[in-house]
Amino acid sequence: MSLLGKRVTERIKPSAITEMMILVKKHKAISLTAGEPSSEMYPVDLLRETIERALRDPGILSYYPLSTGITELREWIAEWMKEDGLLPQSYGGENVIMTNGSQDGLNLVSEAFIEPGDTVLVENPTYPEALLAFGKEGARFVSVPVDKDGPIVEEMEKVLSQNKVKLFYTIVNFQNPSGCVTTEERKKRILELASRYGFLIIEDDPYRYLRYEGEHEGSYIGLAQEEDRVIYLGSFSKIIAPGIRCGYMVLPSKIVGPMGELILATKLSLPAFLQRATWELLRNIDMKAHLAKLADTYRTRRDALHRFLQEKAVPQGMTYDLPKGGFFIWARVPWLKDCFDFAKFAVLEEKVGVVPGAAFYPDVLTADRSTLRLSFAKVPPETAEEAGERLGRALARYKETR
Amino acid sequence: MSLLGKRVTERIKPSAITEMMILVKKHKAISLTAGEPSSEMYPVDLLRETIERALRDPGILSYYPLSTGITELREWIAEWMKEDGLLPQSYGGENVIMTNGSQDGLNLVSEAFIEPGDTVLVENPTYPEALLAFGKEGARFVSVPVDKDGPIVEEMEKVLSQNKVKLFYTIVNFQNPSGCVTTEERKKRILELASRYGFLIIEDDPYRYLRYEGEHEGSYIGLAQEEDRVIYLGSFSKIIAPGIRCGYMVLPSKIVGPMGELILATKLSLPAFLQRATWELLRNIDMKAHLAKLADTYRTRRDALHRFLQEKAVPQGMTYDLPKGGFFIWARVPWLKDCFDFAKFAVLEEKVGVVPGAAFYPDVLTADRSTLRLSFAKVPPETAEEAGERLGRALARYKETR
């Protein structure tokens, strides 16, 4: 179809994460690939019950007159975030818009703000599906490296002095893939840069409630207060279930109207009964206990994988910092020259799936090809030993054959 | 937010239908506005049951590895359409992609094909939310008038000889708003034009299964056979419920891959468990009986509204052809100079909501401002008399005061 436009012919490339997940499934490998929670942790019974309850009112199965989502859930989210000290006092449910997961939010931001050729500043490394959403609209990328405390501010200043940046995309807690957490102090300095250089901050925060030790940080949107500089993206995918596709964005009042019209043009509305069911679930679940259970489970998984990586993969040259939350161990194997090739080798030869780290760099040419992303979320402790074993063996064999 | 791009600052305008629906709700008026089915007709019990069944496998609440939708439902749809003679023999489930209602399909087509300045040919009048989706990507519109048998081919040839058209958007059965049905013979002639002038046909068909008399027509996609010229958009919104947001598109094999990547970039995936539930519902429902029940109900409603319009509104000068299916009576009141103003008057003064017909014209300047769209779908016979009464009175009073 020669009629296809630039988005699909030039701008969008196949996703390395999806390709790897499909390969893992096909070869029935142990998967360290998926950035998704473990299905035993979904509150399925409660969800089933609340959906049943939501459907008692068939009117909820009609088109919803507000494309922005149901009022009760939007208000619940604003309250919840306020209790957590994340929102300016003047914000309320009217600043919240429901999305089909965070990716829908990323796409809406991209469609509302990006014109072809606009410059988007991203972290290096960063989440590749965000690059897809911005790249789709013709964004050009510049990047700032991160260390364990988030984006390196001095490096950011250099980039900003040389480029007119429209927006900065950042994953603030347990960043995907590096695991870094942006400190309050860095956020303040970056907000100053945003004011000085006039750019918007897209604060992506799906992993916030998956902290396994230490204290919660504040948010950009809370720090910015009345300055309309920040759009916050949240999601119930990691703490309830990805399949309810229930994400949200929090944004300055003056953008809510235009964003609602954009949603109407792209999908009219989302399944409102799922939002009603989610709202009832959130009101009825003991959220503190639920989050504590998630933290216990994933902390145990992280520690188990850590132990067997120490035993089996570290002797092959692997290094990493243990993350304090989220789903990923971001590893480096200094002698590894092509992580894409190794990832294929590992799944085909040893039936263990990892994601090549170079897929997370906005610039392919300067990507660190010795990196790997290892997700522990879906690996129970009893599988971790076998996963570590296979990965260690894959590294040893791969090293020999090259 | 001066950083907002052209889509929201220039291209997208507020939706007249949505504004009218909100006004009707606020003033508790009788509504002839919504293009949606009646909620008593939703198979809610069966849906509740099949969702419950789908959720017995918590894995279905994970991200789905295929952004295009679950295989079983895609295959069911292909089979169903084949039995109806709508698809080329070589097409199968792999040609079907699930969408969040038809609007999501319209948007995906627009994003995949439209570059700013591209020309889209539409019917006159047509569905305004389709104009939003195409306009969002910077489409320029040209139009072809319709009569009761669909687009007038001679007029279409004139437009094509003067414009390089990239795609033609058409609602083939019981068109929204005019109620026209494109005949097989017109479809053949228009397909020839598509080959000659090299454009794509977007065949939107949400009302097909809401026929109240007469025989079904064939489809463009079936007639085109192996020529990759047509993308078909279908939906369960009108025959199951809009709120499950379960639409689909059928497209040539070579576009499925790029379209799947576009879906990944815009939303990763849709709620797969809703697709599983819909599939189980479709397998378990007696579809023939269900569609017959829908036809009986809506035929009765159409006839009741017809009767009271004849009594109350026709004496005020209203004219229309009775549609053979769908949800709408497309009326004209020749003395009416501003249907927007009248629609506001009717809801505020007589508490009856109608959609101003001029909202359905791609070109505001040449829009017929004496038209009104009256939906009978949500008006039970016992309300039709009151609706006709109020509308007649609104017309009489409005005529006096101008």
Side-chain angles (χ1 to χ4, degrees):
Chain A
M1 283 274 184
S2 57
L3 297 172
L4 282 166
K6 272 186 208 163
R7 276 198 194 79
V8 291
T9 55
E10 291 176 19
R11 295 177 189 160
I12 295 185
K13 305 274 172 287
S15 155
I17 303 181
T18 305
E19 284 183 349
M20 215 51 224
M21 282 170 70
I22 291 173
L23 206 62
V24 160
K25 207 173 167 177
K26 188 176 158 197
H27 292 275
K28 299 192 173 60
I30 294 180
S31 177
L32 303 173
T33 54
E36 71 175 358
S38 194
S39 63
E40 323 85 271
M41 306 307 290
Y42 305 158
V44 183
D45 291 335
L46 197 50
L47 192 59
R48 211 187 269 133
E49 198 182 304
T50 55
I51 289 177
E52 197 272 330
R53 210 177 307 153
L55 288 177
R56 283 183 207 162
D57 163 19
I60 196 75
L61 281 168
S62 299
Y63 296 111
Y64 196 69
L66 293 177
S67 57
T68 44
I70 72 165
T71 307
E72 308 90 294
L73 181 56
R74 294 165 71 198
E75 281 171 359
W76 190 96
I77 290 167
E79 274 313 303
W80 191 48
M81 288 182 70
K82 271 191 181 172
E83 275 172 33
D84 201 5
L86 293 182
L87 279 196
Q89 268 315 308
S90 66
Y91 276 46
E94 66 282 4
N95 294 88
V96 180
I97 286 183
M98 301 311 302
T99 60
N100 183 78
S102 280
Q103 188 70 27
D104 184 23
L106 284 171
N107 180 52
L108 288 169
V109 166
S110 182
E111 296 213 1
F113 289 96
I114 304 296
E115 299 281 336
D118 279 350
T119 300
V120 172
L121 176 61
V122 297
E123 294 166 326
N124 201 13
T126 190
Y127 176 54
E129 268 68 13
L131 299 177
L132 276 186
F134 296 123
K136 178 170 79 74
E137 300 314 326
R140 177 187 155 254
F141 295 105
V142 291
S143 68
V144 53
V146 297
D147 61 21
K148 68 175 191 19
D149 294 331
I152 299 171
V153 181
E154 294 69 27
E155 297 290 329
M156 200 159 166
E157 287 182 302
K158 274 188 224 162
V159 176
L160 289 168
S161 68
Q162 287 160 18
N163 297 274
K164 169 116 202 66
V165 164
K166 189 156 196 179
L167 54 88
F168 170 48
Y169 169 70
T170 175
I171 306 163
V172 285
N173 288 302
F174 318 114
Q175 199 240 26
N176 180 3
S178 78
C180 75
V181 175
T182 309
T183 60
E184 196 100 345
E185 191 254 328
R186 292 239 180 132
K187 282 191 194 121
K188 283 184 190 152
R189 289 176 63 195
I190 290 169
L191 265 173
E192 280 168 26
L193 291 177
S195 286
R196 186 169 353 136
Y197 289 99
F199 61 86
L200 197 67
I201 296 172
I202 311 302
E203 177 172 28
D204 195 4
D205 199 11
Y207 303 105
R208 175 175 187 80
Y209 301 100
L210 298 174
R211 178 179 271 280
Y212 313 137
E213 55 207 48
E215 294 300 316
H216 281 308
E217 297 281 341
S219 67
Y220 277 108
I221 198 168
L223 289 170
Q225 287 295 331
E226 301 316 308
E227 208 193 346
D228 292 342
R229 277 272 155 245
V230 185
I231 294 181
Y232 178 96
L233 299 178
S235 170
F236 294 113
S237 287
K238 314 297 178 192
I239 60 173
I240 304 291
I244 55 168
R245 307 308 292 127
C246 205
Y248 50 95
M249 52 205 294
V250 188
L251 60 184
S253 304
K254 62 183 91 163
I255 322 184
V256 172
M259 204 61 101
E261 285 163 21
L262 188 58
I263 292 171
L264 196 73
T266 57
K267 60 184 81 76
L268 288 189
S269 64
L270 293 170
F273 76 101
L274 280 187
Q275 294 173 15
R276 174 97 55 96
T278 301
W279 171 65
E280 293 219 28
L281 182 146
L282 290 167
R283 288 195 311 158
N284 286 301
I285 202 171
D286 179 344
M287 192 48 108
K288 225 171 177 170
H290 177 66
L291 291 178
K293 197 176 84 179
L294 293 183
D296 284 347
T297 303
Y298 293 125
R299 187 191 302 109
T300 307
R301 291 182 177 197
R302 177 196 65 175
D303 294 344
L305 186 63
H306 173 46
R307 183 176 148 207
F308 295 109
L309 288 177
Q310 289 294 322
E311 272 181 28
K312 307 290 179 182
V314 168
Q316 303 300 329
M318 179 180 283
T319 63
Y320 56 83
D321 293 321
L322 200 64
K324 293 197 166 94
F327 287 158
F328 310 111
I329 289 177
W330 178 240
R332 226 186 134 230
V333 184
W335 57 259
L336 188 62
K337 298 283 174 273
D338 184 352
C339 52
F340 290 101
D341 191 55
F342 170 72
K344 261 179 217 150
F345 177 89
V347 72
L348 297 178
E349 295 291 322
E350 292 290 346
K351 302 216 180 301
V352 60
V354 299
V355 181
F360 297 86
Y361 289 81
D363 179 5
V364 207
L365 295 176
T366 59
D368 185 343
R369 295 174 82 89
S370 68
T371 51
L372 300 170
R373 191 191 75 173
L374 314 175
S375 169
F376 50 81
K378 297 183 99 169
V379 185
E382 57 275 21
T383 315
E385 179 164 12
E386 183 63 27
E389 190 107 38
R390 291 186 189 185
L391 189 57
R393 209 157 51 221
L395 283 168
R397 284 183 56 199
Y398 188 79
K399 198 174 183 179
E400 258 172 37
T401 60
R402 306 297 118 162
Chain B
M1 282 275 183
S2 56
L3 297 172
L4 282 166
K6 272 186 210 162
R7 276 198 193 79
V8 291
T9 55
E10 290 175 19
R11 295 177 190 160
I12 296 185
K13 305 275 172 289
S15 154
I17 303 181
T18 305
E19 284 184 349
M20 214 52 222
M21 282 172 70
I22 290 172
L23 206 62
V24 160
K25 206 172 168 180
K26 189 175 157 198
H27 292 276
K28 299 192 174 58
I30 294 180
S31 178
L32 303 173
T33 54
E36 71 175 358
S38 194
S39 63
E40 324 84 271
M41 307 305 292
Y42 305 158
V44 183
D45 291 336
L46 197 50
L47 192 59
R48 209 188 269 133
E49 199 183 303
T50 55
I51 289 177
E52 197 272 328
R53 209 177 308 151
L55 288 177
R56 282 183 208 161
D57 163 20
I60 195 72
L61 281 169
S62 300
Y63 296 111
Y64 196 68
L66 294 178
S67 57
T68 44
I70 72 164
T71 308
E72 307 90 294
L73 181 56
R74 295 164 70 197
E75 281 170 359
W76 190 95
I77 290 167
E79 274 314 303
W80 191 47
M81 288 182 70
K82 272 193 180 170
E83 275 172 35
D84 200 6
L86 293 182
L87 280 195
Q89 270 313 312
S90 65
Y91 275 47
E94 65 284 3
N95 295 87
V96 180
I97 286 185
M98 302 311 301
T99 59
N100 183 79
S102 280
Q103 188 69 29
D104 184 24
L106 284 170
N107 180 51
L108 288 168
V109 166
S110 182
E111 296 213 0
F113 288 96
I114 304 297
E115 299 281 337
D118 278 351
T119 301
V120 173
L121 176 61
V122 296
E123 293 166 325
N124 200 13
T126 189
Y127 176 53
E129 268 68 14
L131 299 177
L132 275 186
F134 296 123
K136 176 170 81 73
E137 301 314 325
R140 176 187 156 254
F141 295 105
V142 291
S143 68
V144 53
V146 296
D147 61 21
K148 68 174 190 22
D149 294 330
I152 299 170
V153 182
E154 294 69 28
E155 296 289 331
M156 200 159 164
E157 287 183 300
K158 274 189 224 162
V159 176
L160 289 167
S161 67
Q162 287 161 18
N163 296 275
K164 169 120 202 63
V165 164
K166 189 156 197 181
L167 54 90
F168 170 48
Y169 169 69
T170 175
I171 307 164
V172 285
N173 287 303
F174 319 113
Q175 197 239 27
N176 181 2
S178 78
C180 74
V181 175
T182 309
T183 61
E184 195 99 345
E185 191 254 328
R186 292 238 180 134
K187 282 191 195 121
K188 283 182 191 150
R189 290 177 62 194
I190 290 170
L191 264 173
E192 280 168 29
L193 292 178
S195 286
R196 181 160 6 127
Y197 289 98
F199 61 86
L200 196 69
I201 296 173
I202 311 303
E203 177 173 28
D204 195 4
D205 200 11
Y207 304 104
R208 176 175 187 79
Y209 300 100
L210 298 174
R211 179 179 273 278
Y212 314 136
E213 54 208 50
E215 293 301 315
H216 281 307
E217 297 282 340
S219 67
Y220 278 107
I221 197 166
L223 289 170
Q225 286 296 331
E226 302 315 308
E227 207 192 347
D228 292 342
R229 278 270 158 246
V230 185
I231 294 181
Y232 178 97
L233 299 179
S235 171
F236 295 112
S237 286
K238 314 296 180 192
I239 60 173
I240 305 291
I244 55 168
R245 308 308 292 123
C246 205
Y248 49 95
M249 52 205 294
V250 189
L251 58 185
S253 303
K254 61 184 92 162
I255 323 183
V256 173
M259 205 60 102
E261 285 163 21
L262 188 58
I263 293 171
L264 197 72
T266 57
K267 60 184 81 77
L268 289 189
S269 65
L270 293 170
F273 76 101
L274 279 188
Q275 295 173 15
R276 173 97 54 97
T278 301
W279 171 67
E280 294 219 26
L281 181 146
L282 291 166
R283 289 194 311 159
N284 286 301
I285 202 170
D286 179 344
M287 192 49 108
K288 226 171 178 174
H290 177 67
L291 291 178
K293 197 176 83 178
L294 294 183
D296 284 347
T297 303
Y298 293 125
R299 188 191 301 108
T300 306
R301 291 184 177 197
R302 178 196 63 172
D303 294 345
L305 186 63
H306 174 45
R307 182 175 149 206
F308 295 110
L309 288 177
Q310 289 294 321
E311 272 181 27
K312 307 291 181 180
V314 168
Q316 304 301 329
M318 181 180 281
T319 63
Y320 56 83
D321 293 320
L322 200 64
K324 292 198 168 98
F327 287 158
F328 311 112
I329 289 178
W330 179 238
R332 222 185 137 230
V333 184
W335 58 260
L336 189 61
K337 298 284 172 274
D338 184 351
C339 52
F340 291 101
D341 192 54
F342 170 72
K344 260 181 214 148
F345 178 89
V347 72
L348 296 178
E349 296 291 321
E350 291 291 347
K351 302 218 180 300
V352 61
V354 299
V355 182
F360 297 86
Y361 289 81
D363 179 4
V364 207
L365 296 176
T366 60
D368 185 344
R369 294 174 83 89
S370 69
T371 50
L372 299 171
R373 192 191 73 174
L374 313 175
S375 169
F376 50 81
K378 296 184 98 168
V379 185
E382 58 275 20
T383 315
E385 180 165 10
E386 182 65 26
E389 191 107 38
R390 292 186 189 185
L391 190 55
R393 210 158 51 220
L395 283 169
R397 285 183 56 198
Y398 188 80
K399 199 174 182 181
E400 258 173 37
T401 61
R402 306 297 116 164

